[in-house]
Amino acid sequence: MPETAEEVYARVVAAVGEDGRLPLPEHAAWDTFPFDGDIRTRILQPPLEAEEPRNGENDQPCWRCEHELENVIWRNEDWLVASTPRPTGLPVVLALESRAHMDFLDMDDVLASEFGRITNNLHRILHYLPNVGRVHISKWGDGGAHLHTWFMARPARMPQLRGTFASLWDDILPPVPEDIWRSDLHEVARKLATHDGVALV
């Protein structure tokens, strides 16, 4: 039998130090870790009775469905690619989203195949931007129930920004100049539209 949330929490509580906190992980010493100095882990809270509904789940309104084309740079019949509202610290951060309200569990084989094809095209296009060293693809689903996957382009030749901390560095670094950011968005949308769909920037 898998562990229940209560069993996980009990195991964690048994491992905490005298201050009630878990020790820092090994990667706090990695050169990619964005923080330095006196930091400590937060005290883990006990599990809830049930998962809280996400944006777009149960009776919660869905942000994407209410703002269908906001920040969208490309779309086809079933999918869209949206940018952040303004430049961030990484060269480009995009989200591939379904146009219909669904989550990953709702995709049929046809949509899953399209998702894979567009993911591959988008990854390739971002990878070949001259200012990009690597592209990270991430799926988180705790904030919203509308199907979305993040594409984060890391600056070239800046290995300290590599790996799983890229999303944190994105919030820490000063924003990319807007003219460069808009030029990259235009290039990505234009190249996606050579496969199918339409560029909207």
Side-chain angles (χ1 to χ4, degrees), residues 18-148:
E18 292 180 6
D19 62 354
R21 299 174 190 274
L22 291 163
L24 288 173
E26 286 183 16
H27 60 244
W30 294 357
D31 62 353
T32 57
F33 191 65
F35 307 106
D36 200 2
D38 185 20
I39 59 173
R40 57 187 184 171
T41 58
R42 289 183 182 266
I43 294 175
L44 189 68
Q45 301 300 310
L48 302 173
E49 289 295 320
E51 290 278 335
E52 295 179 344
R54 302 170 293 168
N55 180 290
E57 192 171 51
N58 299 341
D59 295 330
Q60 302 297 314
C62 174
W63 186 91
R64 176 48 72 196
C65 291
E66 292 182 349
H67 303 84
E68 183 181 1
L69 294 179
E70 190 161 335
N71 305 320
V72 173
I73 68 167
W74 171 92
R75 67 175 167 81
N76 70 8
E77 185 178 339
D78 296 313
W79 300 94
L80 59 85
V81 173
S83 72
T84 53
R86 62 194 63 83
T88 59
L90 297 179
V92 181
V93 176
L94 298 172
L96 172 59
E97 306 180 45
S98 59
R99 293 189 67 183
H101 185 73
M102 68 176 72
D103 207 343
F104 268 75
L105 296 174
D106 303 318
M107 274 195 289
D108 60 20
D109 288 348
V110 172
L111 284 173
S113 177
E114 291 176 2
F115 173 81
R117 178 182 53 80
I118 297 168
T119 293
N120 191 46
N121 290 337
L122 184 53
H123 178 275
R124 184 182 293 113
I125 291 165
L126 288 169
H127 176 79
Y128 286 111
L129 290 175
N131 53 342
V132 170
R134 196 82 63 217
V135 180
H136 303 301
I137 303 173
S138 302
K139 186 267 184 191
W140 291 288
D142 285 330
H146 195 110
L147 191 158
H148 62 288

Side-chain angles (χ1 to χ4, degrees), residues 74-77 189 192-199:
W74 171 92
R75 67 175 167 81
N76 70 8
E77 185 178 339
L192 269 177
T194 65
H195 298 281
D196 75 318
V198 293

